Amino acid sequence: MSGQVVVVGGGLAGAKTVEGLRERGYDGRVVLFGAETERPYERPPLSKGYLQGGEERDTAFVHPAGWYADHDVDLRLGAAVTAIDLAAQDVLDGSRTRTGWDHLVLATGSEPRRLDVPGAGLTGVVHLRTIDDSDRLRALLSAAPRVVVIGGGWIGLEVAAAARAAGCTVSVLVRDPQPLLRALGPELAAMFADLHRANGVDLRTRAEVSEIVAAGDGTRVGAVELADGTLIDADLVVVGIGAAPRVDLGRSVGLHVEDGVVVDAHLRSSHPHVLAVGDIARAHHPFLGTHVRVEHWANALNQPATAAATIVGADEPYDRLPYFFTDQFDLGMEYVGHVGSHGYDEVVVRGDLQNRELVAFWRRDGRVLAGMNVNVWDVVDDVQALIRSRAVVDHDRLADPDVPLADLVQPV
């Protein structure tokens, strides 16, 4: 297992890849490139506990500062890889240094989508991606009484909850009829809309932003103008309209790129010695029978173990079901599974939707595709087992809280 592995991307996926290699007994050289100057950290706290001040900065880091040296990992921070040479099997970084590899792992993550309207570059218009962004945003929330969040996805809603906790007046602008509509469908998206309105958020749906309007000095944000001419006063605008996978490096050398770097179940790209993990990996999923790209923490946490296994020659395809979680106000939620492009027939709810204490199931042809537990805990394993069983489940038994989920795994 000698040789050299280069990992490009200093986030959670990159850090867990080098960890996985050492745990697998890989004794060759390992080089980890991180474009940021901070050592690898996890991103969920940036819009949740850390942003609200409930978690210390050190808790976000994947490993202690000395871990990389202790495990003979050449950690190169502030070093962005600018080019890949497949023929020479090396990478070029910003200092014009070339580093060779026997295996290359791309873990470059995603970048926030930018708002394309006049005024989007004004001071006070911010995005949230890095730990420095979270530091700045936390400071701004303490000094900006009027906050407008553009976008009703997970990041936007979590920031809105943090802003309300900081005492800000908050407006959330969503282009769709409901926030999270594409992720959850109308049945459960309405629950999150009600949650935010109940906590004092001015949630506006079907809202199209036409301009960020400058304040009197001409440099800072003063308001957000909607397409219908409505002006919403703002001291701070947080843009959370999604993210795009960073695939330029892979595309530049001819890797198969289609909504991410396309990889097999072992995370190998169209080049057998180049792998991709995390946000950028559009991986074939053995259970789901299709390629899936997931921009959530669990993929960045768990896919690297498969990449490490592949590099050391083990046959361990990645088949974990997609999983994500959120915390907003007094709501905690976990979601597991994948509805897919074919959609679902119905959502079955067991529990109390009005009081937001429930488990919801997305079904097609009587089979559970995905499940979401809201303020109900210790059920994820049972939900996953139900999904994997492919059992046709009786609607009434699925909705009945008195029927243990484990009893539904076998076909009825």
Side-chain angles (χ1 to χ4, degrees):
M1 290 187 291
S2 61
Q4 179 155 298
V5 176
V6 167
V7 181
V8 181
L12 174 62
K16 296 301 284 188
T17 298
V18 300
E19 177 186 305
L21 286 167
R22 292 309 188 212
E23 287 183 344
R24 288 280 179 163
Y26 182 82
D27 58 4
R29 289 197 65 207
V30 176
V31 182
L32 175 59
F33 285 91
E36 296 182 48
T37 56
E38 296 283 1
R39 70 183 188 274
Y41 55 85
E42 302 190 37
R43 298 192 188 276
L46 308 189
S47 59
K48 299 180 176 73
Y50 181 64
L51 179 61
Q52 295 194 32
E55 298 177 12
E56 296 297 324
R57 185 183 178 93
D58 280 351
T59 63
F61 292 104
V62 183
H63 298 116
W67 184 93
Y68 300 93
D70 292 343
H71 291 80
D72 197 22
V73 173
D74 182 359
L75 177 61
R76 303 183 188 180
L77 298 177
V81 169
T82 58
I84 300 168
D85 188 328
L86 293 181
Q89 291 197 185
D90 65 22
V91 298
L92 180 70
D93 64 33
S95 68
R96 311 302 296 173
T97 299
R98 291 191 176 274
T99 304
W101 48 266
D102 296 286
H103 284 90
L104 174 66
V105 182
L106 300 178
T108 46
S110 299
E111 59 186 346
R113 297 187 186 276
R114 304 292 166 172
L115 190 65
D116 185 20
V117 299
L122 289 170
T123 300
V125 179
V126 302
H127 299 79
L128 177 57
R129 180 64 184 172
T130 70
I131 197 166
D132 287 343
D133 291 339
S134 188
D135 286 337
R136 286 191 292 269
L137 182 54
R138 182 163 57 171
L140 289 169
L141 290 178
S142 66
R146 301 170 300 180
V147 177
V148 173
V149 178
I150 301 175
W154 300 112
I155 297 296
L157 295 185
E158 288 172 3
V159 169
R164 286 296 295 141
C168 303
T169 298
V170 179
S171 297
V172 174
L173 309 179
V174 184
R175 296 179 67 177
D176 290 330
Q178 296 282 9
L180 303 172
L181 187 62
R182 297 176 192 179
L184 301 180
E187 300 88 350
L188 274 299
M191 178 184 67
F192 281 88
D194 293 343
L195 170 71
H196 278 258
R197 289 181 172 129
N199 282 277
V201 174
D202 174 21
L203 175 65
R204 305 192 186 197
T205 58
R206 295 186 173 90
E208 189 78 36
V209 175
S210 61
E211 183 176 355
I212 309 296
V213 180
D217 64 2
T219 63
R220 292 195 54 83
V221 62
V224 176
E225 183 173 356
L226 304 183
D228 64 4
T230 301
L231 283 175
I232 304 172
D233 292 337
D235 304 295
L236 175 67
V237 173
V238 183
V239 179
I241 55 174
R246 291 186 172 118
V247 295
D248 288 349
L249 280 173
R251 181 183 286 117
S252 69
V253 293
L255 298 184
H256 184 189
V257 172
E258 184 181 347
D259 182 34
V261 177
V262 179
V263 295
D264 64 15
H266 295 83
L267 305 180
R268 289 180 295 240
S269 74
S270 50
H271 186 291
H273 294 287
V274 180
L275 296 82
V277 294
D279 287 4
I280 69 166
R282 185 166 176 258
H284 184 266
H285 197 287
F287 177 79
L288 299 173
T290 188
H291 282 79
V292 178
R293 188 175 71 84
V294 180
E295 290 180 3
H296 291 293
W297 162 86
N299 249 34
L301 178 71
N302 296 312
Q303 274 189 345
T306 292
T310 299
I311 289 170
V312 302
D315 180 12
E316 299 178 15
Y318 186 78
D319 68 347
R320 286 177 178 260
L321 292 173
Y323 167 92
F324 61 91
F325 71 99
T326 191
D327 297 302
Q328 300 171 32
F329 301 111
D330 60 352
L331 182 149
M333 178 276 276
E334 298 173 288
Y335 179 107
V336 65
H338 180 70
V339 170
S341 60
H342 296 294
Y344 60 93
D345 299 330
E346 65 172 343
V347 177
V348 178
V349 174
R350 67 160 55 192
D352 190 336
L353 181 60
Q354 183 174 356
N355 289 316
R356 296 186 280 272
E357 189 171 318
L358 63 124
V359 184
F361 305 91
W362 284 258
R363 295 204 313 169
R364 184 172 64 240
D365 299 328
R367 294 177 172 86
V368 174
L369 307 173
M372 180 175 77
N373 50 295
V374 179
N375 291 338
V376 174
W377 306 109
D378 301 322
V379 297
V380 170
D381 289 346
D382 288 335
V383 174
Q384 290 192 74
L386 184 56
I387 295 168
R388 288 189 180 277
S389 75
R390 303 188 194 272
V392 175
V393 184
D394 177 76
H395 177 285
D396 292 341
R397 297 186 76 217
L398 185 61
D400 186 350
D402 293 329
V403 177
L405 291 177
D407 290 357
L408 302 176
V409 170
Q410 297 300 319
V412 294

